[in-house]
Amino acid sequence: MTNSIKTLHVNLGLRSYPIHIGTGLLKDSELIAPHIHGNSTVTISNTTVAPLYIEKLHQLTEQVSNIDIILPDGEEYKNLTTLEKIYTEMLEARCDRKTTLLALGGGVVGDVSGFAAASYQRGINFVQIPTTLLAMVDSSVGGKTGVNHPLGKNMIGAFHQPQCVIIDTETLNTLDDRQLSAGIAEIIKYGYINDLEFIDWLDKNMEKLLARDPEALSYAIYRSCEHKAKIVAADEKEAGQRALLNLGHTFGHAIETGMGYGKWLHGEAISAGMVMAAELSREHGWINDGDVKDIRALLKKANLPVDPPREINAEQFSKLMSIDKKVQDGVLHLVLMKSLGESVISSDFDKKALQKVLARQAS
Ligand code: NAD
Ligand code: GLY
């Protein structure tokens, strides 16, 4: 029925779950069936993804009753208003605690739906069916769910693990090029956290990824999910090393919030943010000019931005970064590169050097 399926596991004791990766998985009802415990489902998607894939999903779940909740498309709708709409529709449909929620879409649909699942009647089961590269390699795995607040990205949310993640790589065929590149930013991130061999592979295979070569995409998705699953299993609620997954994110979230949600794609902001983290690491002498040049070159090769928007000045950056979740007890923690391919979480960085990077980047 489907081509070869690769399965990974996020090992979290009783809350462990599989990540299935393959082409045509939206035709395989056996993958999803074990994760629908009650006799009803709610499929949450958006106005772009639903017309493309919701019918396929319905065919997999036709043995149970289902309602669809179709959200407007865009990061600007990842908010409490959308969440309230979801709660209202679920209450009106008399969804109970055995209802299983199916999140069909990119990271926005996944994050909002996951938080709805975490909070509806104090928590119901949900399945992640990511349809963007970014959601496949990052947001659908690990149980971070939530919405944005006008004052900060992802400020309202909960940890709530899915029952299962089903990655049908065929859905990437309808994704536009800019979104594909945004997903590649998160893939590159895993390499700079702790896998230089993967960076080498990415450098050699970037053209294939951009051309959507199925084997290259499948390999990159598998290897990224493998990294993510390992880190999440070791530190589910980000008491320590999970924060490494935020390489580039404190700078990137400032860009997303500062520019207005939706202007810069998340992956694009993370790309420029990774370069800023690299620049600050170079200021400390941990990596060198050549390393920064290589990082910029790889991100450029993936058609990603490597400089932050000029619209945000150093003072605005500082302010936006001060409300990041990486601020603890008033102290900002950043993910920096101790050496190339070895990222660390640090609050012990030179504040003047940070100002220098923020000023130079935004000039
Ligand atoms: P997105 O969900 O906005 O999707 C990008 C665009 O692609 C949207 O217009 C969407 O409708 C469209 N789309 C989705 N699948 C498609 C397909 N197969 N074909 C055609 N179009 C398709 O953006 P994203 O990049 O997937 O996710 C970004 C969000 O994920 C951000 O809100 C970010 O904060 C969040 N995120 C969360 C985590 C986490 O751990 N929870 C990690 C990383 C990012
Ligand atoms: N995307 C960061 C995390 O899942 O922890």
Side-chain angles (χ1 to χ4, degrees), residues 163-235:
Q163 297 292 298
C164 169
V165 182
I166 298 174
I167 299 178
D168 183 346
T169 53
E170 232 167 59
T171 60
L172 294 176
N173 292 333
T174 52
L175 195 67
D176 73 32
D177 289 345
R178 190 176 162 204
Q179 297 289 350
L180 191 81
S181 288
I184 295 175
E186 297 278 17
I187 293 176
I188 291 173
K189 174 190 81 175
Y190 292 109
Y192 287 125
I193 290 173
N194 64 7
D195 188 357
L196 264 195
E197 199 186 277
F198 191 28
I199 289 293
D200 193 41
W201 183 90
L202 287 166
D203 194 36
K204 293 195 175 95
N205 290 277
M206 191 55 74
E207 286 81 6
K208 284 190 183 170
L209 288 177
L210 292 170
R212 296 161 206 248
D213 175 272
E215 262 182 47
L217 278 172
S218 174
Y219 176 77
I221 293 167
Y222 186 90
R223 191 150 175 168
S224 300
C225 287
E226 205 174 24
H227 278 293
K228 180 127 191 199
K230 197 169 157 202
I231 292 186
V232 169
D235 178 22

Side-chain angles (χ1 to χ4, degrees), residues 138 144 189 228 238 242 245-246:
D138 194 353
K144 276 191 183 175
K189 174 190 81 175
K228 180 127 191 199
E238 203 167 303
R242 182 165 180 170
L245 295 172
N246 297 315

Side-chain angles (χ1 to χ4, degrees), residues 62-319:
E62 58 192 5
Q63 71 284 8
V64 295
S65 72
N66 174 74
I67 62 158
D68 291 334
I69 300 180
I70 308 301
L71 309 178
D73 186 359
E75 180 76 35
E76 61 274 35
Y77 298 104
K78 184 177 157 180
N79 58 27
L80 289 167
T81 308
T82 300
L83 202 61
E84 189 170 1
K85 169 186 155 73
I86 295 172
Y87 296 142
T88 304
E89 293 197 28
M90 288 177 70
L91 287 166
E92 282 172 355
R94 303 273 185 275
C95 293
D96 62 26
R97 298 179 90 173
K98 289 197 94 181
T99 300
T100 301
L101 200 154
L102 311 176
L104 174 71
V108 169
V109 166
D111 280 12
V112 181
S113 307
F115 190 38
S119 48
Y120 185 78
Q121 298 193 359
R122 300 203 178 89
I124 60 171
N125 289 331
F126 85 114
V127 174
Q128 286 273 20
I129 305 150
T131 61
T132 62
L133 184 57
L134 185 140
M136 292 175 185
V137 299
D138 194 353
S139 62
S140 65
V141 176
K144 276 191 183 175
T145 72
V147 295
N148 301 326
H149 187 279
L151 292 179
K153 262 290 279 182
N154 297 332
M155 281 292 150
I156 320 292
F159 286 98
H160 187 59
Q161 300 294 342
Q163 297 292 298
C164 169
V165 182
I166 298 174
I167 299 178
D168 183 346
T169 53
E170 232 167 59
T171 60
L172 294 176
N173 292 333
T174 52
L175 195 67
D176 73 32
D177 289 345
R178 190 176 162 204
Q179 297 289 350
L180 191 81
S181 288
I184 295 175
E186 297 278 17
I187 293 176
I188 291 173
K189 174 190 81 175
Y190 292 109
Y192 287 125
I193 290 173
N194 64 7
D195 188 357
L196 264 195
E197 199 186 277
F198 191 28
I199 289 293
D200 193 41
W201 183 90
L202 287 166
D203 194 36
K204 293 195 175 95
N205 290 277
M206 191 55 74
E207 286 81 6
K208 284 190 183 170
L209 288 177
L210 292 170
R212 296 161 206 248
D213 175 272
E215 262 182 47
L217 278 172
S218 174
Y219 176 77
I221 293 167
Y222 186 90
R223 191 150 175 168
S224 300
C225 287
E226 205 174 24
H227 278 293
K228 180 127 191 199
K230 197 169 157 202
I231 292 186
V232 169
D235 178 22
E236 181 186 8
K237 299 216 169 143
E238 203 167 303
Q241 63 163 291
R242 182 165 180 170
L244 289 172
L245 295 172
N246 297 315
L247 175 62
H249 281 56
T250 303
F251 298 102
H253 285 167
I255 295 173
E256 287 185 272
T257 308
M259 291 300 288
Y261 298 127
K263 290 244 171 57
W264 275 55
L265 300 183
H266 178 71
E268 293 171 341
I270 290 338
S271 173
M274 269 192 284
V275 175
M276 294 175 87
E279 299 266 356
L280 183 53
S281 306
R282 179 185 57 188
E283 289 299 320
H284 290 78
W286 297 340
I287 62 173
N288 60 38
D289 287 347
D291 295 331
V292 176
K293 212 169 142 202
D294 288 348
I295 293 167
R296 291 174 73 95
L298 182 60
L299 292 165
K300 271 191 180 167
K301 206 171 181 175
N303 300 323
L304 286 159
V306 290
D307 293 305
R310 287 171 184 274
E311 288 89 333
I312 307 178
N313 65 32
E315 197 188 329
Q316 288 164 324
F317 251 116
S318 294
K319 199 168 163 205

